[in-house]
Amino acid sequence: MEREKLKRTLTGLELRVGTRLPWSVYSPQGTLLLTEGSLIRSEKQIERLLGINAHYFVSPNPAIYATSVKQKPASQDRVSSFVIIHTLLERLEAAFDLRREQDTGSAFIRKIMQLVFDIQGTCEEAADAMLGTVQLIVDAPHGLVHPLHMALMCEVASCRMGKGPLEHFPLVAAALTHDLGMYEVQQQLFEQNTPLTEQQRLIIDQHPQRSYDLLQERGVTETRWLLPVLQHHERLDGSDYPNGLKADQINNDARLLAITDCYSAMIQPRAYREQVLPRDALREIFQQRGKTIDEPLARLFIEVMGLFAPGTLVQLKSGEIALVTGRGRGLNQPMLAVITNSQQAPLDHPQTVTLQDSKEITSIERIQDHAHLIAGLGRLWPTPDSVT
């Protein structure tokens, strides 16, 4: 039985600084403001939410509904994957806060290294949950969610190649820190809908070198960490920056970093354009294989993500909305959690299915168009509890 969730306007009594949201918060217009698991950082943040009459949704008390249908066990005790991703984002932010402080180089490196260990642990236990959830996060700063997304993809792809944790540890660290040299302006650039100024273009062109230099200043000496950072915008045909390197001049890990950078950047909506749908982003990567990006790595990346990447919302022929939760046996056989009925009313208990033919999918949906469905998606996957 589907029951419409109850809308509750924030009163302020539900929120305390330093605690995590147990539900997602929306504006009066239905815009998703904060996902479940977001940390309440200040009283001013609470005041802003109250000032706009923000609201959230809760499930009705099942006791008031008479039903003869045996209810499935609730998943409320399961740690939300949103909480895990927000925790990783907060730890990355804490590391970045040390980037320019004097005499904190070793602390910066330790925080990044600990975060890499956290990422490796969570991906070992629940890779699809991490990849899927980070694609659903629409409220975190781009300068944090983008490198975390890349790090998760590099971790999963490296494991698929058979590399051990220590072997690809530097690559994951590089993914987390590749844009360090432009961190201060990333959110401004992400939200900007006007042409870049000359100064902004200079910052972008110089950020690989600046990131490389900052890491060295912080005490990073590992070449397998530094080179991918320096070269992640180089392309096989020599068409990109900072040094116009070609083909074999480009470090192999930098080639994988470039692919994850392109994919993550494309699927994030910008002020001047809508989100590129995940399948279209994968198609673009496939079309560029052997031209600007490494062909074997492009194929591997698509195999890792599947034609329908975890975290993708799809509509089925039945009219139901489903979330891709992982890959099935084939690239076009995604595992799904059906989250609405045919009238697109949310289901109390999502139904898990594996499609035998992706032709059952009629369209890819934008997350922003179904913000009301995001609230309960963090408990669709089994998740580790080691991070939280």
Side-chain angles (χ1 to χ4, degrees):
M1 178 181 179
E2 298 89 31
R3 296 192 295 271
E4 186 173 350
K5 290 183 177 292
L6 302 178
K7 180 178 175 181
R8 295 281 186 261
T9 300
L10 286 174
T11 66
L13 298 177
E14 312 94 333
L15 306 178
R16 291 205 319 274
V17 174
T19 61
R20 297 187 185 280
L21 289 173
W23 14 248
S24 297
V25 174
Y26 301 84
S27 73
Q29 294 76 32
T31 302
L32 180 64
L33 301 176
L34 296 168
T35 48
E36 175 189 12
S38 298
L39 188 69
I40 297 298
R41 296 174 176 268
S42 66
E43 292 292 344
K44 286 187 176 180
Q45 183 184 23
I46 296 175
E47 291 173 7
R48 286 196 297 269
L49 293 173
L50 296 178
I52 64 170
N53 293 318
H55 63 268
Y56 59 99
F57 294 95
V58 295
S59 297
N61 183 349
I64 66 176
Y65 291 90
T67 178
S68 59
V69 178
K70 184 177 180 180
Q71 296 295 317
K72 297 181 180 180
S75 59
Q76 290 302 111
D77 292 337
R78 179 183 294 169
V79 176
S80 169
S81 54
F82 282 123
V83 172
I84 295 174
I85 291 296
H86 279 295
T87 300
L88 295 175
L89 290 169
E90 289 157 16
R91 292 179 184 177
L92 181 59
E93 183 178 30
F96 283 178
D97 286 344
L98 299 175
R99 69 194 182 282
R100 293 192 180 280
E101 294 185 17
Q102 297 298 318
D103 304 320
T104 59
S106 60
F108 170 81
I109 294 175
R110 283 197 306 272
K111 284 185 178 294
I112 294 296
M113 291 179 67
Q114 181 58 58
L115 187 53
V116 174
F117 281 124
D118 291 338
I119 288 169
Q120 291 185 329
T122 56
C123 286
E124 182 180 8
E125 296 183 54
D128 286 337
M130 298 301 98
L131 291 175
T133 304
V134 76
Q135 284 197 183
L136 297 173
I137 297 288
V138 297
D139 54 320
H142 179 73
L144 297 175
V145 75
H146 175 60
L148 178 61
H149 190 196
M150 289 175 58
L152 292 167
M153 290 187 288
C154 284
E155 169 64 25
V156 176
S158 296
C159 289
R160 183 64 61 86
M161 287 189 283
K163 294 185 176 182
L166 294 180
E167 187 179 2
H168 64 268
F169 191 101
L171 171 60
V172 181
L176 291 172
T177 55
H178 72 287
D179 280 345
L180 197 63
M182 56 183 285
Y183 177 65
E184 291 90 343
V185 299
Q186 270 188 294
Q187 194 61 27
Q188 176 190 345
L189 295 175
F190 183 72
E191 296 173 352
Q192 184 170 315
N193 58 9
T194 56
L196 295 173
T197 66
E198 290 186 12
Q199 180 62 27
Q200 289 172 330
R201 171 49 63 187
L202 185 63
I203 291 172
I204 291 173
D205 290 345
Q206 293 179 346
H207 87 269
Q209 182 68 56
R210 183 58 183 142
S211 300
Y212 178 92
D213 294 341
L214 279 172
L215 289 171
Q216 286 192 313
E217 291 171 12
R218 295 296 88 194
V220 177
T221 59
E222 174 57 67
T223 302
R224 293 179 300 161
W225 181 344
L226 293 169
L227 269 186
V229 169
L230 181 62
Q231 297 179 2
H232 73 276
H233 274 290
E234 304 286 2
R235 296 295 181 263
L236 295 183
D237 61 356
S239 62
D240 232 317
Y241 60 93
N243 297 311
L245 301 182
K246 294 183 178 181
D248 291 342
Q249 295 176 306
I250 304 172
N251 174 274
N252 199 59
D253 282 348
R255 299 182 188 197
L256 178 56
L257 200 61
I259 293 171
T260 62
D261 187 27
C262 290
Y263 177 79
S264 180
M266 280 192 282
I267 69 168
Q268 290 287 320
R270 304 295 181 99
Y272 60 87
R273 65 157 171 83
E274 291 187 330
Q275 169 200 26
V276 176
L277 295 173
R279 188 173 62 176
D280 294 335
L282 290 170
R283 182 183 295 114
E284 176 65 21
I285 288 171
F286 184 75
Q287 291 173 343
Q288 289 300 316
R289 74 195 190 286
K291 300 174 184 176
T292 60
I293 59 178
D294 186 279
E295 180 168 2
L297 288 177
R299 290 184 179 277
L300 171 77
F301 181 75
I302 293 170
E303 289 176 6
V304 168
M305 301 300 288
L307 295 181
F308 299 91
T312 302
L313 277 182
V314 299
Q315 183 169 344
L316 306 178
K317 285 182 177 179
S318 61
E320 298 164 310
I321 300 293
L323 179 75
V324 178
T325 57
R327 270 191 53 191
R329 291 186 177 181
L331 288 176
N332 64 342
Q333 295 177 318
M335 294 185 290
L336 305 177
V338 180
I339 58 178
T340 78
N341 62 17
S342 57
Q343 286 74 46
Q344 300 190 5
L347 297 177
D348 284 348
H349 304 291
Q351 302 166 4
T352 302
V353 298
T354 298
L355 289 189
Q356 298 306 307
D357 188 344
S358 61
K359 291 181 180 179
E360 290 297 316
I361 295 173
T362 58
S363 64
I364 310 295
E365 301 294 305
R366 300 184 190 279
I367 300 295
Q368 298 89 331
D369 296 336
H370 298 277
H372 64 289
L373 297 176
I374 292 179
L377 300 186
R379 290 183 171 84
L380 291 179
W381 292 276
T383 50
D385 58 9
S386 55
V387 172
T388 57

